[in-house]
């Protein structure tokens, strides 16, 4: 059957990276199970159990599965309806000297759960440098445009000016929170270790003839071999699905950030102030050839929304568990956990690509400022007139009348805002006419926005401090390429 004749997830076929796809592939999963069996056998041998060097050697020689291994396991699983035991059988066929000791004392979750914890950890290790790279790119963008005044918006309406760079810092600050959440999730992940069928380690206590110290040492050795600093002291048959919830919540929060940033970029593209990259041969619409649709940001919103909602799967699964374990967690986790990581990975690729090529149109930004700034400057004009000896109440009334006249011109006639010209022609404002250009200088309306950007992103600031652990990744940063 052709690959085009069966369903393919868009995450694997279109959006996610090769390295993240491999992490959640059947090959990686199955070879990790085999590696876990090797670590268990090595540790049991070190603690005196009768396991031969040949058995360990044969297992190590076949840690990676062949096509034949997968076929053997598939045949056995169809017969036994048990995936782990199918792979125990397949491993034993290629490592016959170890066939009798593979999975000794373990339960299925020794493989499945410990493997999942490895994937959760390694996936975050792959993800965080990508997030750091995106933050670094946006930080460079913010510093470049820290002084470029633009309209701020509250309630979707023009408000006090900010700068292009300051607005980007709003995105960065939220991404820093996401970085903190993901780092915390990673640091909270521990190994399940060797715990047995209900988490009591009874099977291993039996194997070691009641020697508690050897059971604890076995747990420590396997945990160390897997690269974890510690294992959970308490578990049931599974590690607590609360771990999935905490990790999913961090990803969910990240998803909301991506959608928020994507929406901002889409709105700014509507205003023609900022655009995402648009390639030479890219087509915006099959019908309207002139279109420059923000498809990257729209995709980012779409995938961000998906990621933001996946935590409910994890929460519902945790809440539905019975006592020491029930299997209704299995099928949904096979879908949800990979999708979380693949979705987040795809989003990081997208934002890397977008932030590498954001296009700013200062002339359009200035024109939009010019349409609104006269109204915003009226308070400054009133205060300056009072400082020159005028009446505050009289100035307010003159400004009110002229503002409504100018507003009618804009709304009813579709013309430009002519408030300043009206003020120039009004004898009442003659004492400050020569100062109007100064009062309308956009840079005087942005407050401390440039200084805030510098403090936030500059030396010793929050951004550079947070990015220090990722210096190696940042030194090699590049623009992510999209598959489609």
């Amino acid at each position: 059957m052709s690959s085009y004749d069966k369903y393919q997830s868009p995450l694997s076929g279109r959006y996610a990276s090769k390295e993240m796809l491999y992490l959640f592939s059947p090959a990686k999963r199955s070879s990790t199970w085999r590696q876990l069996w090797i670590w268990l056998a090595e540790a049991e041998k070190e603690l005196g159990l009768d396991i031969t060097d040949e058995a360990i050697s044969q297992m190590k020689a076949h840690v990676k599965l062949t096509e034949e291994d997968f076929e053997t396991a598939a045949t056995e699983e169809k017969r036994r309806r048990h995936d782990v035991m199918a792979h125990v059988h397949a491993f034993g066929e290629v490592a016959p000297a170890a066939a009798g000791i593979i999975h000794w004392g373990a339960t299925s979750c020794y493989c499945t759960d410990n493997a999942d914890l490895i994937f959760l950890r390694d996936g975050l290790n792959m993800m965080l440098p990508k997030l750091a790279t995106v933050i670094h790119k946006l930080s460079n963008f913010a510093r470049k445009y820290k002084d470029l005044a633009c309209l701020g918006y509250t309630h979707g309406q023009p408000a006090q000016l900010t700068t292009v760079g300051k607005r980007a810092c709003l995105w960065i600050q939220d991404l820093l929170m996401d970085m903190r959440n993901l780092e915390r999730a990673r640091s909270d992940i521990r190994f399940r270790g060797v715990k047995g069928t209900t988490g009591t380690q009874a099977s291993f206590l039996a194997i070691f003839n009641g020697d508690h110290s050897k059971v604890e040492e076995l747990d420590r050795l396997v945990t160390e071999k897997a690269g974890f600093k510690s294992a959970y002291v308490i578990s049931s048959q599974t590690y607590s699905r609360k771990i999935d919830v905490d990790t999913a919540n961090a990803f969910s929060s990240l998803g909301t950030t991506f959608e928020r940033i994507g929406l901002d970029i889409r709105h700014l593209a509507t205003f023609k102030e900022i655009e995402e990259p648009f390639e030479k041969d890219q087509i915006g619409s099959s019908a309207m050839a002139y279109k420059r649709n923000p498809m990257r940001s729209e995709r980012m919103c779409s995938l961000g929304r998906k990621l933001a909602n996946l935590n409910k799967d994890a929460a519902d699964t945790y809440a539905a568990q019975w006592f020491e374990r029930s299997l209704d967690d299995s099928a949904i986790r096979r879908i949800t956990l990979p999708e979380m990581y693949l979705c987040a990975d795809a989003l990081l690729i997208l934002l890397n690509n977008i932030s590498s090529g954001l296009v700013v149109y200062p002339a359009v930004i200035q024109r939009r400022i010019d349409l609104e700034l006269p109204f915003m400057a009226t308070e400054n004009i009133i205060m300056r007139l009072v400082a020159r000896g005028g009446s505050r109440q009289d100035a307010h009334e003159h400004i009110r009348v002229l503002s409504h006249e100018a507003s009618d011109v804009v709304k009813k006639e579709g013309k430009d805002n002519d408030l300043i010209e009206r003020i120039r022609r009004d004898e009442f404002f003659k004492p400050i006419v020569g100062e109007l250009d100064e009062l309308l200088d956009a840079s005087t309306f942005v407050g401390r926005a440039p200084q805030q950007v510098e403090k936030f992103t500059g030396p010793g600031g929050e951004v550079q401090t947070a990015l220090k652990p990722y210096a190696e990744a940042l030194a090699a940063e590049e623009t992510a390429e999209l598959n489609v």
Side-chain angles (χ1 to χ4, degrees):
M1 177 184 287
S2 166
S3 61
Y4 298 106
D5 292 334
K6 55 186 177 182
Y7 172 78
Q8 296 180 357
S9 167
L11 288 169
S12 59
R14 298 170 68 86
Y15 303 139
S17 67
K18 291 179 180 179
E19 60 269 20
M20 196 63 73
L21 288 168
Y22 175 69
L23 181 65
F24 290 97
S25 67
K28 178 65 174 177
R29 183 176 180 81
S30 301
S31 65
T32 300
W33 287 3
R34 288 191 173 185
Q35 185 61 65
L36 282 160
W37 283 319
I38 292 169
W39 288 331
L40 178 61
E42 287 177 333
E44 289 174 336
K45 177 179 172 61
E46 290 172 34
L47 292 171
L49 295 187
D50 185 16
I51 296 174
T52 65
D53 290 337
E54 183 182 9
I56 302 290
S57 178
Q58 286 184 4
M59 291 169 77
K60 287 183 174 180
H62 295 91
V63 67
K64 290 187 177 181
L65 283 76
T66 64
E67 292 289 337
E68 290 75 16
D69 290 339
F70 278 111
E71 290 172 5
T72 298
T75 300
E76 193 66 17
E77 183 176 359
K78 186 173 183 179
R79 177 187 173 205
R80 302 293 186 183
R81 302 299 181 192
H82 199 290
D83 56 348
V84 172
M85 286 307 298
H87 277 273
V88 168
H89 174 83
F91 201 11
E93 283 204 356
V94 294
I101 58 90
I102 293 171
H103 203 64
W104 193 0
T107 188
S108 297
C109 288
Y110 168 73
C111 304
T112 57
D113 277 39
N114 281 323
D116 283 343
L117 289 166
I118 289 171
F119 301 150
L120 295 182
R121 176 200 64 187
D122 291 355
L124 285 168
N125 285 337
M126 295 161 61
M127 201 89 65
L128 281 162
K130 294 183 178 183
L131 178 54
T133 298
V134 165
I135 292 172
H136 186 246
K137 286 176 178 287
L138 287 173
S139 178
N140 290 337
F141 176 85
R143 290 171 66 81
K144 180 177 180 180
Y145 293 104
K146 66 178 181 175
D147 297 310
L148 182 57
C150 65
L151 286 176
Y153 293 90
T154 59
H155 309 275
Q157 303 300 311
Q160 187 175 24
L161 301 190
T162 183
T163 70
V164 172
K166 170 63 189 296
R167 179 176 284 134
C169 285
L170 299 177
W171 307 337
I172 296 168
Q173 180 166 256
D174 292 349
L175 289 169
L176 286 178
M177 294 180 195
D178 292 314
M179 175 177 281
R180 176 205 63 197
N181 293 342
L182 292 174
E183 288 174 338
R184 183 183 298 157
R186 180 182 61 180
S187 66
D188 284 348
I189 294 173
R190 289 184 272 167
F191 203 49
R192 176 188 175 275
V194 290
K195 297 297 192 293
T197 55
T198 59
T200 67
Q201 298 178 304
S203 58
F204 295 103
L205 194 61
I207 289 172
F208 288 107
N209 300 313
D211 191 331
H212 289 267
S213 64
K214 282 193 173 182
V215 175
E216 289 202 2
E217 181 62 6
L218 178 69
D219 209 358
R220 188 195 69 79
L221 283 172
V222 177
T223 298
E224 184 179 83
K225 289 174 184 290
F228 286 83
K229 293 180 180 179
S230 64
Y232 298 105
V233 176
I234 300 298
S235 80
S236 60
Q237 186 174 98
T238 70
Y239 69 79
S240 172
R241 297 307 181 223
K242 194 78 170 177
I243 306 304
D244 295 346
V245 176
D246 287 351
T247 305
N249 284 341
F251 277 119
S252 176
S253 183
L254 178 66
T256 65
T257 304
F258 279 115
E259 184 168 11
R260 159 70 198 277
I261 294 172
L263 279 169
D264 276 359
I265 295 173
R266 290 164 64 191
H267 284 129
L268 292 169
T270 300
F271 302 153
K272 295 182 170 57
E273 292 188 16
I274 290 179
E275 286 184 344
E276 65 180 35
F278 196 89
E279 296 162 21
K280 177 178 176 291
D281 295 324
Q282 183 174 333
I283 296 173
S285 168
S286 61
M288 295 167 280
Y290 59 89
K291 292 287 290 293
R292 293 172 68 92
N293 297 336
M295 52 78 65
R296 291 167 171 83
S297 299
E298 290 173 315
R299 181 184 298 172
M300 191 161 71
C301 289
S302 184
L303 291 175
R305 197 174 308 136
K306 174 67 174 177
L307 181 59
N309 284 283
L310 284 174
N311 64 335
K312 189 175 188 304
D313 285 354
D316 289 349
T317 299
Y318 161 70
Q321 285 299 283
W322 292 10
F323 306 117
E324 279 65 47
R325 196 269 169 97
S326 54
L327 195 61
D328 59 320
D329 66 339
S330 178
I332 192 170
R333 292 176 69 255
R334 289 174 188 260
I335 299 169
T336 299
L337 295 185
E339 281 192 349
M340 276 196 315
Y341 279 75
L342 296 176
C343 201
D345 181 61
L347 284 161
L348 286 166
I349 293 171
L350 268 172
L351 191 51
N352 177 309
N353 182 273
I354 292 169
S355 59
S356 297
L358 280 172
V359 181
V360 178
Y361 296 107
V364 176
I365 291 172
Q366 185 59 53
R367 173 170 171 76
R368 290 180 62 78
I369 290 175
D370 291 342
L371 290 173
E372 303 293 342
L373 190 58
F375 295 134
M376 298 177 189
T378 54
E379 185 175 4
N380 289 355
I381 293 172
I382 291 171
M383 292 303 100
R384 185 64 59 90
L385 193 63
V386 173
R388 297 290 181 267
S391 163
R392 190 266 176 194
Q393 272 58 252
D394 289 344
H396 184 278
E397 179 60 19
H398 276 77
I399 287 291
R400 186 188 70 82
V401 172
L402 295 179
S403 294
H404 284 300
E405 291 174 354
S407 181
D408 280 347
V409 167
V410 172
K411 295 178 180 178
K412 296 179 180 179
E413 300 179 30
K415 296 180 180 179
D416 290 343
N417 189 333
D418 64 355
L419 175 58
I420 299 304
E421 293 308 313
R422 291 174 184 273
I423 291 173
R424 290 184 193 277
R425 294 194 301 264
D426 193 315
E427 284 293 318
F428 182 81
F429 295 99
K430 188 174 182 180
I432 63 164
V433 166
E435 302 173 61
L436 285 176
D437 288 342
E438 173 197 343
L439 293 171
L440 288 165
D441 181 357
S443 66
T444 66
F445 287 81
V446 300
R448 298 192 64 252
Q451 290 75 23
Q452 290 176 345
V453 173
E454 188 62 38
K455 181 177 182 179
F456 185 56
T457 64
E462 292 180 39
V463 174
Q464 291 195 12
T465 300
L467 296 183
K468 277 183 181 179
Y470 306 98
E472 185 176 345
L474 298 181
E477 74 176 30
E478 55 186 28
T479 300
E481 295 293 329
L482 305 184
N483 292 328
V484 290

